[in-house]
Structure formats: structure tokens, C-alpha cells
């Protein structure tokens, strides 16, 4: 059977629309769940208002940034406007703005549903674990369906309208640049509040985690939404768009246009991935006394199996290359393996968490040393997985013909991200049930409800570590594919200008090595800037919390009618996050431009290689170490190693405080950073080829 690329684009759009319909139904279902507790409704309103206030202020700043970048793109990309067809530059600028808008909408949808589902999940916990789990999961699934539907719709629409794969780079850069700042800003906000609330509340005063006396407690719950929901949604939207864009660029290069079999297979597999996620979400369930972690993981495995079966059937039906199917299957399999490896190092039922919890009895120094050690060890399985996936996909597809080896790697990335709808659903579940736990405590729903929400929250933390590992692994394969897309763009420009093409980057070339060293250093500097942003902001908030406990009479004692000034802490987190988010992102982008204009395309090849390797190690280490410390603290709080209030607990809280900006600010922002610099390199390839000092 033969279906044209346009036919597969239409099918992709139809499945994207189906995803929106499922998201709308799930939204309506969650919103219809009962909620009658006045205190929970009041706190839920405060959280929703704080999240929307932050998002509004953040998007106002990012809108100005996007307009400036769009003007630069209009003037210079893909070529200076005075040397090029004006329409091409206009198309690129509009595609960029479309990418930022789609990414922003993804974050907004996530906030909208998460701040409803948290209240409903808290109330549902009174009826048991099953109804509360279903509210949390279906709330997360609204975002999963909407984000992946948007990414597939956006890519298909841009290619159908423009007929130009280079415009996809503009769309992807728009998504990536906004995701970079959204993830960094949301991460700084959430960890500012989380660290401040923990240090003053738990460590200094010994009060519970979500005690309403703590002035930072509402800001902490707001942060779960702006960082872990809106930020992660934008991040995975960006990764999915980038992986599809890279595959389409290389596929079109091999096809000699945008209407060949290779571009068709990209759309076919991406559409099937979304369809598999829709089926997986629809079939997700849990028993009356079921295990939420098992329920979340089984949904992922079901979706994975459906994708494998349906893509195999499509490959046979439409006559696609089985080697390309093999590459995508390898990517998906390795994604699951990376998730399982992350689970081992972060699950509170596994040895590493138990060891760190035990080490905490000897003081916070041992908590941190053991956590860092296991975090570093945890990078090896994932890096081996990414390397093996790239190598197998490369070797598997190389016999098809010249250029297919790199296309195989890009399809491996598409395969790994094929079930991203389910991954986002699982990821957004985490902050929803985390908020539900806090709301249950502030609504005085009792110990039995808190025990239920603690179970749900623990599952959320474990699965979140898995989804972050999955996202980082996918970003690794995606940026390797983007390196191939960069070479395709450079060679297309070189042929047009009558210059030699490039087949690779020799690390013994001093220009390449120059770029590699600088590229490897950028993730370290980027991470440091974000963590310092959290540090400075948290110090300001701790000072404010101390002031309130000192000046508001009866607050520390919990006298009836005495309420802290929650808005002051929310404003400190908001102002500080917006102030700190721009410099780190600009550092990554500007360094790419400097290296490109100094060393040319060969230096950029080295820069991207160093950035990818260093960035993946930093991202995996920080995400896994942070998740490990978090669950070691929760393991102790559940009654082990002395339980709450013990010396081990105090040490574990310190470890968790160090891990917070690791796992929720710097770690997950790095994979967006390496995607952004890869896209900047591809967009600027012609300029780097013709306007460099040593190129």
C-alpha cells in the first residue's frame, strides 16, 4: 500500500485532534469530581492564583525576548535578508514565533489542569487510593495528550504550509528557547520555596512539611506547578519537536525533497506513538488497594508494546525499511532501560536509598558524600544505553545507503520519544499528588488520608525519576541527531556556495578541539548559574520567613485566626526567578555564537560534541542524585533509621535541600540547553561557514 507524505501528515493531524478530544474529556472528568472542603478550596485558589501570576509575569518577559529574537531571525536567517528571498526570512521568523506560542500554551494547559486536579485528588483520597490515583493520573494525562498533540500538529502544519524543512528548525528553536527559560525560571521558583520551607520549617522549627504556619508553604505548592508541570511540559514538548524535526531534515535530504518515503516514515511512527499513548492512557487503572508505582509503570510498558506492534504492522503494510523500524525499536527499548536504571538508584525500596538513609545517621556530610557517589555511578548505565542505542541504530541503517546511518540515529530518538504522551502523563501526576498531600494536611483530613497521599507522592517521586531519565536519554539521542541535521544544513549551504562539504569532525584538529573544550564547560557554568540563582533567592526567602515568625504574634504557636503573609514569599520567588532565568540561557546561546564566528563549522562540531557528552553526564548525575536524596528523606520519614525528628532525618533533610536544585532546576534544564545550542548551530550554519575567523 502506498500513502504519500501528505497523506501521513493529514493522518498525523487527525490523531493530534483525537488527542485534544481525549484531553478535553479527561479535563471534564477531573473537573466533575467532588470537592467540598472549604479550607482545601481556599488553599487551592491561592496556589492557582500564585501559579498564574508567575506564569503571566514570566511570559511577559519571554514575549519581549521572543520578539527581539524574531527580528534577528528576520534580518539574518537563513541568510541575511538583503542577500536572500525575503519570504524565506519571514517564514523562519513566523515559524520561530509559532514554536514559542505552542510551547507557552503547553505550559498554560498544564497549570490549568494541575491546579484543579490537586484539589480533587486531595478530596478523593478520603475514599481511598484508587479514586485519588485516577484523578492525579488523568489530570497528568490531560497535559500529556495536549502537549504531544500540539507538537505533532505544529510540525505537520509547518511542513505542509512551508514545504521547507529549514522552517522546522525555526519552529523547534522557538519551542526550545522558551522551554529553556520556562524550565530554568520554574525550577528556580520551585526550589527557592522548597528549600526555604524545609530549612526553616523542618530543620529549625521541627514542624511538618506542609504546615500552614509556614509562610513559604503556598509558594512551595505553587512551585510544584510552575516548575514540575509547566516547565517539564515545555521541556518534553521541545524534545519531541526537536527529534521529529531532526529526523525530517535528514529524511528530506535523503529523499531529495519533503515528499519521499523517509519523511513519510517519520510522520507515520510519530503518529502511531501518539495513538499508542492515547490507548495507554485510556487503559490505565489501579485496584482498590493497588500499588500506584506498578500501575504507572505498567501503563508505560503497555504503551511501549502497542507502539512496537503497530509500527511493525505499518512497516509491513506500507513497505518501509525494517532496519529503520529496528532503529526506532532500539531507541524505545533503551529509553525503558534508562528509566529502569534511574529507578534503581532512586526507588526507596532499593539499596542505594537505604544506604544513604543509613549514612545519614552519621551526619549530613555522609548524606551528601554517599548521595553524590551513587549519583555519579548512576550516569554509567544511561550513558552506555545512549551510546549503544546510537551505535546499533547507526550500524543497523548504514547498509541502506549513504546518509542512512545518521538517519537511523534520528529515528532511534523518534522511537525513544514515541511514547512521550504517556511519559508526560506520568510526570505531571507527580506534582499533582504532591500538591494533594499538602492540601490534605492543610485541610486537616486526618492521618489515614495523609498515609494515602504519601503513598501516591512516593510513587510520583519514583516515576518522576524514571521520566527524567527517559527525557535526558531522549535528549541525548535527539541532539546526536541534531548534530547530523547540522551537518546536513552545512553541506547544503556548502554545495550552494561551491565550498567543500564535511563528513565528520576530527578531534585532532585544533579548531575542533578548541570548540570541544568550550562546549564541555558550558553545562557546568549553566548549572552553576541556576543553582546560584536558587541560592540567592532562597536566602532572601529564609530572611522573610524569619521576619514573619518574629513579627506576626501567635504564628509560631499556631493561634487560631493568625495567618502568615503567603503572598510575600510568592513574590520573592517570582521576582528572583525571573531575574535569574535570562543570564544562564543567554550564556549558552552567546557562547555558541562566539565559538561559531571564531572557529567556524568545525569548531561548532567540536562544541556540540563536548556539550552533548558533558551535558548528559551532568544532567543524569544531578537528576538521579537529587531523586536519591529526596527518597532517602521520605524513607526515614516512613519510620526507618530513627524516623521523623531523628538525627538521620535532619541530615536527610539537608541532603534533600542540596538535591532540590540538582533534580528540579539544573539537571532537567541541561537537556534543553544542549538542544538549544544544537538548534542555534543549525540555524546559523551558513553564517558560520562564511563568516568565521579561523574556519
Amino acid at each position: 500500500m502506498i500513502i504519500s507524505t501528505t497523506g501521513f501528515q493529514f493522518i498525523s493531524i487527525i490523531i493530534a485532534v483525537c488527542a485534544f478530544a481525549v484531553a478535553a474529556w479527561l479535563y471534564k472528568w477531573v473537573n466533575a469530581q467532588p470537592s467540598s472542603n472549604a479550607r482545601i478550596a481556599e488553599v487551592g485558589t491561592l496556589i492557582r492564583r500564585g501559579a498564574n501570576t508567575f506564569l503571566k509575569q514570566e511570559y511577559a518577559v519571554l514575549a519581549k525576548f521572543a520578539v527581539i529574537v524574531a527580528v534577528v531571525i528576520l534580518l539574518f536567517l537563513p541568510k541575511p535578508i538583503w542577500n536572500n528571498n525575503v519570504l524565506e526570512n519571514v517564514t523562519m521568523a513566523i515559524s520561530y514565533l509559532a514554536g514559542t506560542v505552542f510551547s507557552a500554551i503547553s505550559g498554560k494547559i498544564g497549570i490549568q489542569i494541575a491546579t484543579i486536579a490537586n484539589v480533587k485528588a486531595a478530596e478523593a483520597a478520603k475514599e481511598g487510593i484508587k479514586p485519588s490515583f485516577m484523578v492525579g493520573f488523568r489530570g497528568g494525562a490531560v497535559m500529556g495528550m495536549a502537549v504531544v498533540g500540539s507538537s505533532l500538529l505544529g510540525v505537520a502544519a509547518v511542513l505542509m504550509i512551508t514545504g521547507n524543512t529549514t522552517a522546522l528548525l525555526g519552529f523547534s528553536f522557538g519551542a526550545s528557547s522558551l522551554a529553556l527559560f520556562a524550565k530554568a525560571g520554574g525550577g528556580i521558583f520551585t526550589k527557592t520555596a522548597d528549600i526555604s520551607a524545609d530549612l526553616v520549617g523542618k530543620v529549625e522549627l521541627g514542624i511538618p512539611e506542609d504546615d500552614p504556619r509556614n509562610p513559604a508553604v503556598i509558594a512551595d505548592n505553587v512551585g510544584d506547578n510552575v516548575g514540575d508541570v509547566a516547565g517539564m511540559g515545555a521541556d518534553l514538548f521541545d524534545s519531541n519537536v526537536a527529534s521529529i524535526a531532526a529526523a525530517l531534515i535528514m529524511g528530506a535530504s535523503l529523499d531529495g525533497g519533503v515528499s519521499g518515503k523517509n519523511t513519510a516514515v517519520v510522520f507515520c511512527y510519530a503518529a502511531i506513538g501518539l495513538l499508542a499513548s492515547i490507548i495507554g492512557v485510556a487503559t490505565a487503572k489501579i485496584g482498590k488497594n493497588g500499588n500506584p508505582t506498578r500501575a504507572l509503570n505498567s501503563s508505560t510498558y503497555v504503551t511501549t508494546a502497542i507502539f512496537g506492534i503497530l509500527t511493525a504492522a505499518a512497516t509491513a503494510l506500507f513497505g518501509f525499511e525494517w532496519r529503520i523500524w529496528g532503529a526506532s525499536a532500539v531507541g524505545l527499548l533503551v529509553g525503558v532501560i534508562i528509566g529502569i536504571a534511574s529507578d534503581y538508584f532512586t526507588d526507596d525500596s532499593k539499596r542505594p536509598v537505604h544506604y544513604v538513609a543509613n549514612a545519614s545517621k552519621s551526619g549530613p556530610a555522609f548524606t551528601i558524600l554517599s548521595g553524590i557517589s551513587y549519583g555519579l555511578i548512576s550516569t554509567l548505565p544511561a550513558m552506555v544505553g545512549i551510546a549503544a542505542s546510537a551505535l546499533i541504530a547507526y550500524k543497523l541503517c548504514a547498509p541502506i545507503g549513504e546518509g542512512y546511518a545518521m538517519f537511523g540515529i534520528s529515528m532511534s530518538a523518534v522511537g525513544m520519544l514515541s511514547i512521550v504522551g504517556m511519559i508526560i502523563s506520568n510526570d505531571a501526576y507527580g506534582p499533582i499528588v504532591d500538591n494533594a498531600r499538602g492540601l490534605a494536611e492543610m485541610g486537616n483530613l486526618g492521618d489515614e488520608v495523609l498515609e494515602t497521599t504519601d503513598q501516591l507522592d512516593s510513587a510520583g517521586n519514583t516515576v518522576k525519576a524514571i521520566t527524567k531519565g527517559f527525557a535526558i536519554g531522549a535528549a541525548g539521542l535527539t541532539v546526536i541527531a541534531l548534530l547530523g541535521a547540522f551537518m546536513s544544513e552545512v553541506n547544503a549551504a556548502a554545495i550552494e556556495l561551491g565550498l567543500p562539504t564535511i563528513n565528520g569532525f576530527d578531534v585532532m584538529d585544533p579548531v575542533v578541539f578548541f570548540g570541544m573544550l568550550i562546549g564541555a564547560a558550558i553545562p557546568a557554568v549553566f548549572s552553576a548559574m541556576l543553582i546560584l540563582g536558587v541560592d540567592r533567592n532562597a536566602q532572601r526567602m529564609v530572611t522573610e520567613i524569619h521576619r514573619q515568625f518574629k513579627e506576626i504574634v501567635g504564628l509560631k504557636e499556631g493561634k487560631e485566626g493568625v495567618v502568615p503573609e503567603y503572598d510575600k514569599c510568592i513574590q520573592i520567588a517570582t521576582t528572583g526567578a525571573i531575574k535569574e532565568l535570562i543570564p544562564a540561557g543567554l550564556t549558552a546561546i552567546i557562547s555558541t555564537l562566539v565559538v561559531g564566528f571564531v572557529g567556524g563549522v568545525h569548531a561548532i562540531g567540536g562544541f556540540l560534541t563536548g556539550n552533548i557528552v558533558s551535558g548528559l553526564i551532568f544532567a543524569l548525575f544531578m537528576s538521579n542524585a537529587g531523586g536519591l536524596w529526596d527518597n532517602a528523606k521520605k524513607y526515614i520519614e516512613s519510620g526507618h533509621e530513627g524516623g521523623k525528628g531523628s538525627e538521620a532525618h535532619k541530615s536527610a533533610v539537608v541532603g534533600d535541600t542540596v538535591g532540590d536544585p540538582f533534580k528540579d532546576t539544573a539537571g532537567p534544564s541541561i537537556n534543553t540547553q544542549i538542544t538549544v545550542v544544537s538548534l542555534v548551530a543549525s540555524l546559523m550554519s551558513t553564517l558560520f561557514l562564511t563568516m568565521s575567523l579561523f574556519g
Side-chain angles (χ1 to χ4, degrees):
M1 183 184 292
I2 298 173
I3 297 180
S4 67
T5 301
T6 305
F8 280 111
Q9 288 171 340
F10 277 118
I11 291 170
S12 298
I13 291 170
I14 290 167
I15 293 176
V17 171
C18 290
F20 295 140
V22 172
W25 182 85
L26 292 170
Y27 183 97
K28 188 177 178 181
W29 183 89
V30 170
N31 203 31
Q33 299 310 297
S35 55
S36 56
N37 186 296
R39 175 59 178 159
I40 287 180
E42 178 190 350
V43 176
T45 300
L46 288 173
I47 293 170
R48 188 178 305 113
R49 188 186 305 146
N52 284 319
T53 298
F54 171 76
L55 216 60
K56 184 178 178 181
Q57 292 186 30
E58 181 184 52
Y59 283 178
V61 172
L62 294 181
K64 295 174 185 174
F65 171 81
V67 169
I68 293 169
V69 173
V71 170
V72 173
I73 289 172
L74 177 65
L75 293 176
F76 297 104
L77 298 176
K79 298 174 185 173
I81 195 168
W82 50 89
N83 293 333
N84 195 36
N85 183 339
V86 173
L87 185 60
E88 283 189 30
N89 291 56
V90 171
T91 300
M92 184 71 80
I94 292 173
S95 297
Y96 167 79
L97 289 174
T100 64
V101 170
F102 271 71
S103 186
I105 290 171
S106 298
K108 180 64 178 176
I109 290 171
I111 290 290
Q112 191 66 26
I113 185 59
T115 53
I116 294 172
N118 58 4
V119 172
K120 306 291 185 177
E123 292 271 3
K126 293 188 292 186
E127 306 300 322
I129 198 165
K130 179 180 177 179
S132 190
F133 170 85
M134 291 307 294
V135 171
F137 177 76
R138 287 185 168 180
V142 172
M143 188 172 185
M145 297 296 95
V147 167
V148 186
S150 297
S151 61
L152 190 56
L153 176 66
V155 169
V158 168
L159 196 59
M160 285 182 76
I161 293 168
T162 66
N164 180 2
T165 54
T166 304
L168 287 177
L169 288 174
F171 183 78
S172 185
F173 179 52
S176 297
S177 59
L178 191 123
L180 177 66
F181 294 118
K183 189 62 197 166
I188 292 170
F189 183 109
T190 185
K191 293 305 113 180
T192 292
D194 197 356
I195 288 172
S196 304
D198 279 357
L199 286 178
V200 180
K202 287 186 177 180
V203 178
E204 291 183 22
L205 302 178
I207 62 177
E209 181 167 352
D210 292 298
D211 196 302
R213 290 174 290 174
N214 194 327
V217 74
I218 300 297
D220 187 10
N221 283 293
V222 169
D224 289 335
N225 291 286
V226 299
D228 293 339
V229 177
M232 184 55 80
D235 178 14
L236 285 169
F237 174 84
D238 140 54
S239 293
N240 197 36
V241 168
S243 70
I244 297 172
L248 287 170
I249 287 167
M250 281 188 275
S253 174
L254 293 169
D255 288 335
V258 296
S259 58
K261 186 174 282 190
N262 292 313
T263 50
V265 75
V266 177
F267 278 113
C268 179
Y269 285 10
I272 289 174
L274 179 51
L275 181 61
S277 294
I278 292 171
I279 298 170
V281 165
T283 56
K285 60 182 179 179
I286 185 174
K288 187 176 180 182
N289 299 306
N291 183 321
T293 303
R294 190 178 300 121
L296 291 167
N297 286 338
S298 64
S299 297
T300 303
Y301 300 144
V302 166
T303 306
T304 301
I306 292 169
F307 175 81
I309 293 167
L310 291 182
T311 48
T315 301
L317 184 63
F318 301 120
F320 296 140
E321 266 286 349
W322 280 103
R323 288 177 178 274
I324 292 173
W325 177 84
S328 67
V330 165
L332 182 54
L333 181 63
V334 168
V336 173
I337 292 170
I338 291 171
I340 292 170
S342 296
D343 176 56
Y344 174 76
F345 286 98
T346 57
D347 192 335
D348 61 8
S349 66
K350 302 294 194 302
R351 184 176 175 274
V353 168
H354 295 175
Y355 182 89
V356 173
N358 183 263
S360 298
K361 294 191 292 187
S362 303
F366 295 97
T367 307
I368 292 168
L369 286 170
S370 57
I372 285 176
S373 300
Y374 275 117
L376 289 169
I377 293 169
S378 76
T379 64
L380 181 61
M383 292 297 282
V384 169
I386 295 167
S389 181
L391 180 62
I392 292 169
Y394 187 97
K395 292 294 185 181
L396 197 60
C397 294
I400 302 174
E402 188 178 348
Y404 275 91
M406 285 302 293
F407 182 63
I409 293 176
S410 71
M411 288 307 297
S412 187
V414 170
M416 191 179 283
L417 276 164
S418 59
I419 61 165
V420 73
M422 178 57 73
I423 296 301
I424 294 173
S425 302
N426 286 354
D427 198 81
Y429 158 90
I432 288 172
V433 295
D434 189 1
N435 263 204
R437 194 254 177 232
L439 288 166
E441 184 164 318
M442 286 184 269
N444 297 314
L445 296 186
D447 290 340
E448 191 175 335
V449 171
L450 283 177
E451 191 177 322
T452 297
T453 53
D454 277 338
Q455 270 187 277
L456 295 168
D457 188 23
S458 177
N461 274 319
T462 301
V463 173
K464 195 162 69 170
I466 294 171
T467 57
K468 281 179 180 172
F470 200 100
I472 293 165
L477 278 179
T478 299
V479 292
I480 294 170
L482 283 171
L483 184 59
F486 167 71
M487 288 176 61
S488 294
E489 291 293 305
V490 169
N491 287 338
I495 291 169
E496 188 178 329
L497 296 168
L499 297 172
T501 58
I502 56 174
N503 296 315
F505 305 103
D506 181 2
V507 295
M508 297 306 292
D509 182 340
V511 175
V512 175
F513 199 67
F514 157 79
M516 191 181 296
L517 291 179
I518 296 174
I522 295 304
V525 175
F526 178 78
S527 301
M529 292 177 76
L530 293 181
I531 293 172
L532 282 171
V534 172
D535 178 33
R536 286 189 288 265
N537 223 22
Q539 288 187 47
R540 289 191 284 267
M541 190 176 289
V542 166
T543 301
E544 172 60 22
I545 297 170
H546 285 154
R547 181 196 69 78
Q548 291 196 33
F549 275 123
K550 183 179 179 181
E551 295 181 5
I552 300 176
V553 179
L555 179 60
K556 193 180 292 186
E557 297 76 21
K559 286 185 179 178
E560 192 173 347
V562 178
V563 180
E565 297 171 353
Y566 296 124
D567 286 347
K568 292 279 180 70
C569 287
I570 292 172
Q571 193 53 48
I572 287 172
T574 300
T575 304
I578 290 171
K579 178 183 175 184
E580 302 283 358
L581 68 87
I582 295 292
L586 285 180
T587 298
I589 293 170
I590 291 171
S591 62
T592 310
L593 297 176
V594 170
V595 169
F597 285 124
V598 170
V601 292
H602 289 90
I604 284 293
F607 178 89
L608 295 179
T609 304
N611 195 261
I612 291 165
V613 174
S614 167
L616 289 175
I617 290 174
F618 269 94
L620 288 162
F621 158 62
M622 289 193 285
S623 290
N624 289 339
L628 174 62
W629 279 316
D630 191 357
N631 277 343
K633 177 198 70 175
K634 285 183 167 60
Y635 179 72
I636 293 170
E637 287 176 346
S638 66
H640 300 89
E641 308 294 353
K644 288 183 180 179
S646 64
E647 288 304 311
H649 183 228
K650 291 177 182 177
S651 299
V653 171
V654 173
D656 182 38
T657 303
V658 174
D660 274 337
F662 272 37
K663 70 180 172 66
D664 290 325
T665 306
S669 296
I670 290 176
N671 53 320
T672 314
Q673 177 263 306
I674 56 179
T675 304
V676 167
V677 300
S678 299
L679 288 165
V680 169
S682 292
L683 285 167
M684 300 290 291
S685 56
T686 302
L687 295 180
F688 292 156
L689 186 66
T690 56
M691 298 171 61
S692 62
L693 194 59
F694 297 110

